[in-house]
Amino acid sequence: MNPAPPLFHVMTKPTGAICNLDCKYCYFLSKEMLYPGSRFRMADELLATYTKQYIDSQKSREVTFAWQGGEPTLMGLDFFERAISYQKQFARPGVKISNSLQTNGTLLDDDWCRFFKKHNFLIGLSIDGPEELHDKYRVNKGGAGSFKQVMRGFDLLKKYHVEFNVLCTVHAGNQDYPLEVYRFFRDELGSDFVQFIPIVERADDHVRSLANVGWSERHGGDRPLYTQAGGLITERSIDSAKYGRFLITIFDEWVRRDVGKMYVQIFDVSLGSWLGQPGGLCIFAPTCGDALALEHNGDLYSCDHYVEPDYLLGNIQEDLMIELVASDQQKQFGRDKQESLPQYCLDCEVRFACHGGCPKNRFISTPNGEEGLNYLCAGYRSFFYHIDRPMKQMAQLLRQRRPAAEIMRITAAEDEAQQQKEFSSTKRNAPCPCGSGKKFKQCHGRKR
Ligand code: SF4
Ligand code: SF4
């Protein structure tokens, strides 16, 4: 057997693809088709098997169970009570076990939140921004927006002081409103951890024509299983250049006032890359394959984004999970990320931070016609180039054992110097460079 990775991560889907919402961009709802006739509930015996195998196969002193869906809370509290009791039963001495759970938040109540608090769950809450932006695609089975129900769940998480992160997908509906989205999380929700996930929904002509109806409407129809295929994208998908601008706009605000206070995952992971410590996020790692997905019946897949027949590794009730993780198939899956990079990426100055991004999005051609470039390349490139200077400055601060937050003082001084330079060359009747809309002589030029 190949050596198993010392650390790997499994996203566990106890309800499979079943969810109470019908988010229009969800790549997972159609995975229901893989298991016709299933009840989509992880059996107790499998839960015990999985818990034991997962704990036994991790070599670190910390083991994290990650529950995801579909919507995992549809399993009911009893299921998670049992999960905790199996974790206690199979825990090895000296190993810390923790749990995270990704939810749409709409089914949370006092009992759930008491349970989360008691067992220190880290909750990932899916919100796409303020109400009108969130409700664009995050709808229920009747097509109505889910924002109000999510906020009810959010209030309960706050009430019980449950630790939570915001997971925000970025798509055609909110890509033009970076500051509205970011400030909503920071100022309205008081969240200090945000993760942005770009929506890139691949399609062919057939899927594109069906893409804008909800799953409930599609279900009786002939929408095919969503797989990582097709050279087109749906109109809900993010525009690559706009994704770059979205991140840059938020970064510019963050680097001036929120460093050390707001954790924005892509900024933090990037700082790791500039410090020469990559590996914080699989999409920006040179290889992948250490983040797998477990279906409700024990089927283990190479990745949450590749729950499709070609990437099924086996079933953990028949083969040990550790053997599937260490299998040639999975090793090759991880290496493919690096081995399939086009020359354009190999020559790229920001490859150390990007590594070509996730293979699922590599379906466009490079400027000289080579296939396999990431659809998000334009956005990534502009973002990584833009943050290069402040990232170098923060990395330098950290190497000097000073807080990265000192970048805010440095940036403020640079902004001030830049503005003075602009003022000194502005004519009296020209618009003021501060952006007030007034003439310079009636604004910052008044004294002069
Ligand atoms: S395929 Fe993409 S999401 Fe999956 S492990 Fe690799 S980089 Fe991560
Ligand atoms: S920015 Fe573009 S060219 Fe550079 S590594 Fe990333 S995907 Fe490749």
Side-chain angles (χ1 to χ4, degrees):
M1 186 177 108
N2 295 319
L7 276 178
F8 65 91
H9 182 75
V10 174
M11 275 189 191
T12 309
K13 297 162 177 294
T15 65
I18 303 302
C19 185
N20 60 319
L21 294 188
D22 197 18
C23 301
K24 292 182 179 174
Y25 52 57
C26 181
Y27 64 93
F28 214 78
L29 288 174
S30 73
K31 308 287 177 177
E32 188 181 337
M33 285 179 174
L34 290 170
Y35 299 100
S38 170
R39 287 181 62 234
F40 293 100
R41 294 187 69 78
M42 182 176 275
D44 203 48
E45 198 182 333
L46 173 59
L47 175 62
T49 304
Y50 161 57
T51 308
K52 177 156 178 28
Q53 287 194 24
Y54 191 51
I55 292 173
D56 287 351
S57 55
Q58 298 283 335
K59 295 200 177 77
S60 71
R61 299 214 146 266
E62 198 161 338
V63 177
T64 302
F65 285 81
W67 306 99
Q68 228 219 18
E71 174 52 41
T73 57
L74 284 171
M75 287 302 287
L77 254 180
D78 287 359
F79 174 85
F80 288 96
E81 299 273 15
R82 289 197 298 282
I84 296 290
S85 92
Y86 286 132
Q87 289 171 8
K88 287 184 179 151
Q89 183 182 338
F90 298 122
R92 284 181 279 116
V95 171
K96 182 176 173 239
I97 295 184
S98 52
N99 287 272
S100 66
L101 183 141
Q102 185 64 40
T103 177
N104 61 40
T106 58
L107 300 173
L108 300 184
D109 60 14
D110 291 82
D111 289 343
W112 273 111
C113 293
R114 262 187 231 113
F115 171 84
F116 291 149
K117 183 66 189 168
K118 180 174 171 197
H119 297 289
N120 294 318
F121 271 55
L122 171 62
I123 302 303
L125 191 62
S126 302
I127 315 177
D128 285 359
E131 183 163 7
E132 66 280 12
L133 301 180
H134 174 95
D135 282 349
K136 187 113 183 147
Y137 301 130
R138 295 196 68 82
V139 295
N140 63 22
K141 301 287 184 204
S146 61
F147 183 81
K148 290 196 169 62
Q149 290 96 309
V150 178
M151 284 300 109
R152 207 185 44 77
F154 165 79
D155 289 340
L156 285 165
L157 290 171
K158 280 260 180 182
K159 177 178 163 191
Y160 287 94
H161 305 287
V162 176
E163 201 183 339
F164 74 96
N165 297 330
V166 166
L167 188 149
C168 170
T169 57
V170 192
H171 43 66
N174 61 6
Q175 64 188 3
D176 293 324
Y177 304 94
L179 290 181
E180 287 85 345
V181 169
Y182 178 69
R183 289 173 183 168
F184 174 74
F185 297 145
R186 183 190 65 199
D187 303 337
E188 306 285 319
L189 301 191
S191 172
D192 51 14
F193 183 110
V194 182
Q195 187 180 350
F196 293 114
I197 310 275
I199 292 290
V200 180
E201 245 187 325
R202 292 172 70 170
D204 53 25
D205 278 336
H206 175 59
V207 175
R208 231 149 76 132
S209 64
L210 289 164
N212 275 326
V213 291
W215 170 251
S216 319
E217 296 158 74
R218 295 193 299 258
H219 206 79
D222 57 351
R223 188 185 195 271
L225 175 74
Y226 183 82
T227 58
Q228 301 298 355
L232 303 174
I233 52 157
T234 63
E235 60 195 40
R236 291 185 290 264
S237 297
I238 192 157
D239 175 90
S240 178
K242 286 191 176 183
Y243 185 48
R245 281 202 290 280
F246 183 93
L247 294 175
I248 287 170
T249 308
I250 294 174
F251 181 86
D252 283 350
E253 170 129 331
W254 177 82
V255 81
R256 283 170 174 78
R257 54 167 291 177
D258 296 328
V259 181
K261 289 182 271 182
M262 277 290 276
Y263 176 95
V264 181
Q265 189 192 46
I266 187 168
F267 302 163
D268 203 69
V269 169
S270 299
L271 182 54
S273 300
W274 260 264
L275 279 164
Q277 303 162 353
L281 199 55
C282 64
I283 58 169
F284 296 135
T287 58
C288 64
D290 300 338
L292 300 95
L294 184 73
E295 264 288 353
H296 65 289
N297 69 340
D299 282 353
L300 190 69
Y301 290 87
S302 291
C303 166
D304 174 43
H305 288 284
Y306 283 90
V307 174
E308 47 188 271
D310 287 350
Y311 298 89
L312 173 63
L313 298 168
N315 190 292
I316 65 163
Q317 295 176 105
E318 289 152 23
D319 297 294
L320 282 177
M321 178 189 290
I322 190 80
E323 287 174 10
L324 299 174
V325 175
S327 64
D328 289 342
Q329 182 183 346
Q330 183 63 1
K331 294 270 172 205
Q332 190 56 50
F333 175 82
R335 281 195 302 268
D336 280 349
K337 181 170 194 245
Q338 192 165 44
E339 290 170 1
S340 62
L341 273 184
Q343 193 61 41
Y344 190 68
C345 288
L346 295 174
D347 296 339
C348 173
E349 283 184 63
V350 293
R351 177 161 61 94
F352 70 96
C354 175
H355 289 291
C358 177
K360 80 181 177 69
N361 296 333
R362 294 184 188 171
F363 55 87
I364 63 168
S365 301
T366 65
N368 55 11
E370 190 180 356
E371 286 185 358
L373 183 64
N374 198 306
Y375 167 78
L376 294 172
C377 174
Y380 284 152
R381 270 173 96 94
S382 61
F383 170 65
F384 287 130
Y385 273 102
H386 181 83
I387 66 174
D388 179 54
R389 189 155 178 277
M391 281 293 166
K392 279 181 181 149
Q393 290 169 320
M394 277 189 278
Q396 179 68 8
L397 287 168
L398 290 172
R399 285 194 196 99
Q400 294 167 348
R401 300 191 183 284
R402 288 159 63 191
E406 282 188 28
I407 186 72
M408 294 187 287
R409 192 177 43 75
I410 297 171
T411 310
E414 286 176 359
D415 286 350
E416 172 73 19
Q418 176 63 25
Q419 203 171 46
Q420 289 307 329
K421 202 168 138 198
E422 285 172 19
F423 287 162
S424 66
S425 60
T426 303
K427 301 254 180 318
R428 281 171 50 73
N429 285 317
C432 186
C434 77
S436 65
K438 293 180 191 167
K439 284 185 179 173
F440 182 55
K441 68 182 181 189
Q442 290 157 349
C443 190
H444 282 85
R446 191 171 288 170
K447 267 195 234 152
R448 201 174 69 177

